[in-house]
Amino acid sequence: MNMNDGVKTAVRTVNLFEAFSRRKGPMTLTQIAEALSAPISSCHGLVRTLSAKGYLYTSERNRAIYPTKRLLEIATTIAAHDPVLETIVPVLEALRDETDETILLGRRQGETILYLDVIEGGQTLRYSAGAGDIKPMHSSAIGKAFLGRLNDTERAALVARLPLDLRTANTITERAALEADLTEGIGRGYFVTRGENVVDVMGLATTADVYGETMGIAVAGPLVRMEAGEAELAARLLSAKATLEALGSGA
Amino acid sequence: MNMNDGVKTAVRTVNLFEAFSRRKGPMTLTQIAEALSAPISSCHGLVRTLSAKGYLYTSERNRAIYPTKRLLEIATTIAAHDPVLETIVPVLEALRDETDETILLGRRQGETILYLDVIEGGQTLRYSAGAGDIKPMHSSAIGKAFLGRLNDTERAALVARLPLDLRTANTITERAALEADLTEGIGRGYFVTRGENVVDVMGLATTADVYGETMGIAVAGPLVRMEAGEAELAARLLSAKATLEALGSGA
DNA sequence: AACTGGTTTTCATGAATATGAATGATGGTG
DNA sequence: CACCATCATTCATATTCATGAAAACCAGTT
């Protein structure tokens, strides 16, 4: 049976590029096999295929396998034509400039939260994440914002079936406690996590309906700094939400 | 049997991103299936897998499937740490600035030529290609340069087994004619294609040994412009070759 | 030249996936 | 509101691939 990971080769293909991105240099076939936790012979076929497509090449000198710039060209072209982010991102950048903390743009994807974009703050100690990262709903601020947006029936159903995995010592793993936390957030107008996803990180989040899609936006940073500025940060977050909903009421 | 394309899913995975890059916008599952020439049900699994890895997401509004910025982040990180190109590319950029024509950096990969980088000239009518493109050896200038570098035995063997596919009306498809052309190139010190790969495109190429690897470099542009400036272009090409070999004699 | 350690390539077979067909959603239209 | 057209999802099965083992290869070294 499949380890519920999805199509094996597709996962390995992207994992291979991720491995190159982490290693920041060429890899030998054996190293690739190790990085992918896959048999060498399997990786051999994968590398052959991607080489034939022009994504990899092998140095005849030391058998090192390098990625070409093809992936970059394709990714750049794709990103240059993202219509949604084009309009949303400037608002988030403004929010980042106001707060100097990291701004997250996320969506609900099934029972998880997917970061569409991450605009990092300028401080030395900051919340750092990557576009495409996937977080659990119950421990991320954006996740709570999406839960809070549902009607009571839907929310109860979703909370009941979410896997409330422990991420840190502060993660809420009791369904009743999560319900209470969400109720609090609904009253407050925004949702908060305090070290529930990552230790010492606090996040403030809300949702915004833009172009008919519900987006989640959040400000995240170190607990102490965030707690000190919570009132102002929340105000700015809600102001950004209003701006987004204003520009995205059409289409 | 497998259509000699390699691992099916790996090809489809990269083809999917290429399709997004061409379409410059979201695609529905049906459109993806069409773009990949694959059954919808197969694409469904692929999309699910890549969504779970954070590379794609689906708009709940109109079922449009979008790529995230994750691929861009990974590709950017990879490209930022390419040790070979870091030193070679500046030389090629200088060559581009001198000639204002497109400069190609290529390698031999099996019996084909793989473009590692393409630095396009600034003119309105210019040779345009992408990193990762794969060209036949017999019709590309860099391919001829690699053939010309072999000793007589190896060259004869390779020429004998290359598939001399017709690409344009000018493509050399006779082995004897190719041999003669290569001999000419060896005497001349550089290799030429005249509309043999792409109509009305002329290329001048040579190889350079850099860091123990043999690289192919070429200048390419419209036939008329290239023919008019051939002597000077060739001189500059050979000068760039010398520069590359000087910097790459160590390591 | 033969050996040694490490690596890559090949190959037959069991395991996982790709697929067509059927089912289930969804949205627009009369 | 029911119909239709389009699209997405599920499922059983044949197809294809992933895999371990063995062979081949390569670069040093004796």
Side-chain angles (χ1 to χ4, degrees):
Chain A
M1 191 186 301
N2 191 8
M3 300 190 343
N4 92 348
D5 290 337
V7 181
K8 195 180 293 188
T9 304
V11 173
R12 285 187 184 166
T13 302
V14 296
N15 280 352
L16 175 57
F17 288 116
E18 290 179 16
F20 273 116
S21 144
R22 275 193 303 274
R23 186 154 316 215
K24 305 183 197 317
M27 286 198 278
T28 178
L29 186 58
T30 310
Q31 291 173 323
I32 288 175
E34 195 179 354
L36 299 187
S37 314
I40 294 181
S41 50
S42 309
C43 296
H44 179 249
L46 180 59
V47 167
R48 272 184 88 77
T49 302
L50 292 177
S51 298
K53 289 285 293 177
Y55 287 88
L56 303 175
Y57 68 93
T58 306
S59 153
E60 71 257 12
R61 188 167 62 108
N62 53 2
R63 307 176 192 185
I65 296 163
Y66 292 82
T68 69
K69 284 177 65 180
R70 172 177 267 261
L71 189 70
L72 179 65
E73 293 197 349
I74 288 170
T76 305
T77 308
I78 291 176
H81 298 275
D82 192 324
V84 179
L85 299 187
E86 225 162 59
T87 50
I88 295 179
V89 167
V91 177
L92 302 184
E93 284 175 342
L95 183 57
R96 190 266 320 270
D97 293 343
E98 289 170 14
T99 60
D100 209 16
E101 298 289 359
T102 297
I103 309 301
L104 305 164
L105 175 68
R107 289 176 51 93
R108 177 176 168 190
Q109 181 168 80
E111 302 182 359
T112 60
I113 294 300
L114 167 68
Y115 286 171
L116 293 184
D117 209 347
V118 177
I119 296 145
E120 297 202 2
Q123 317 222 28
T124 313
L125 179 62
R126 65 191 186 217
Y127 182 66
S128 188
D133 286 357
I134 292 176
K135 307 286 180 183
M137 288 194 87
H138 69 295
S139 67
S140 79
I142 292 183
K144 288 185 184 177
F146 272 94
L147 288 170
R149 221 186 67 92
L150 299 173
N151 66 45
D152 292 353
T153 320
E154 291 172 328
R155 178 166 56 254
L158 186 46
V159 167
R161 95 179 106 93
L162 277 180
L164 303 186
D165 294 334
L166 191 68
R167 310 256 310 170
T168 74
N170 289 343
T171 306
I172 299 176
T173 56
E174 299 293 329
R175 305 192 190 280
L178 181 55
E179 293 272 16
D181 188 275
L182 293 174
T183 308
E184 207 177 316
I186 294 168
R188 194 197 290 119
Y190 61 93
F191 297 80
V192 177
T193 52
R194 280 196 173 77
E196 296 156 39
N197 198 31
V198 180
V199 176
D200 276 337
V201 165
M202 177 167 171
L204 311 181
T206 183
T207 57
D209 290 324
V210 198
Y211 300 121
E213 315 257 5
T214 305
M215 299 288 184
I217 56 176
V219 186
L223 200 80
V224 281
R225 219 158 59 203
M226 295 287 294
E227 268 183 338
E230 177 171 348
E232 186 190 335
L233 290 168
R236 296 197 186 277
L237 177 71
L238 295 175
S239 159
K241 168 195 172 120
T243 309
L244 286 175
E245 294 193 326
L247 71 82
S249 38
Chain B
M1 192 184 302
N2 191 5
M3 298 188 348
N4 94 347
D5 289 338
V7 181
K8 195 181 293 187
T9 305
V11 173
R12 285 186 183 166
T13 303
V14 296
N15 279 352
L16 175 56
F17 288 117
E18 290 179 17
F20 273 117
S21 147
R22 276 193 303 274
R23 187 157 312 218
K24 305 184 197 318
M27 287 198 277
T28 178
L29 187 57
T30 310
Q31 292 172 323
I32 288 176
E34 194 179 354
L36 299 189
S37 315
I40 294 182
S41 51
S42 309
C43 296
H44 179 249
L46 180 60
V47 167
R48 270 183 88 76
T49 302
L50 292 177
S51 299
K53 290 285 294 179
Y55 287 87
L56 302 175
Y57 69 93
T58 304
S59 153
E60 70 257 13
R61 187 168 62 108
N62 53 3
R63 307 175 190 184
I65 296 164
Y66 291 81
T68 69
K69 282 176 66 179
R70 172 177 268 260
L71 189 70
L72 179 65
E73 293 197 350
I74 288 170
T76 305
T77 308
I78 291 176
H81 297 277
D82 192 324
V84 179
L85 298 188
E86 223 162 61
T87 51
I88 295 179
V89 167
V91 177
L92 302 184
E93 285 175 342
L95 183 56
R96 192 265 320 269
D97 293 343
E98 289 170 14
T99 60
D100 211 16
E101 298 290 359
T102 297
I103 310 300
L104 305 164
L105 176 68
R107 287 177 52 93
R108 177 175 167 190
Q109 182 168 80
E111 302 182 358
T112 60
I113 294 301
L114 167 69
Y115 286 170
L116 294 183
D117 209 347
V118 177
I119 296 146
E120 297 201 1
Q123 316 223 26
T124 313
L125 178 63
R126 66 192 186 217
Y127 182 66
S128 188
D133 286 356
I134 291 175
K135 307 286 178 182
M137 288 194 88
H138 69 295
S139 66
S140 79
I142 291 182
K144 288 184 185 178
F146 271 94
L147 288 170
R149 220 185 67 90
L150 299 173
N151 66 45
D152 293 353
T153 321
E154 291 172 328
R155 178 165 56 253
L158 187 46
V159 167
R161 96 180 105 95
L162 277 179
L164 303 186
D165 294 334
L166 191 69
R167 310 258 307 172
T168 74
N170 289 343
T171 306
I172 299 176
T173 56
E174 301 291 330
R175 305 194 189 280
L178 181 55
E179 292 273 16
D181 189 274
L182 293 174
T183 308
E184 206 178 316
I186 294 168
R188 194 196 291 121
Y190 61 92
F191 297 80
V192 177
T193 51
R194 280 197 172 75
E196 296 155 39
N197 198 31
V198 180
V199 176
D200 276 336
V201 165
M202 177 167 170
L204 311 181
T206 183
T207 57
D209 290 324
V210 198
Y211 300 122
E213 314 258 6
T214 304
M215 298 288 184
I217 55 175
V219 186
L223 200 79
V224 282
R225 218 156 63 201
M226 294 289 293
E227 268 183 338
E230 177 172 347
E232 187 191 335
L233 290 168
R236 295 197 184 277
L237 177 70
L238 294 176
S239 159
K241 168 196 173 119
T243 308
L244 285 175
E245 294 194 327
L247 70 82
S249 39

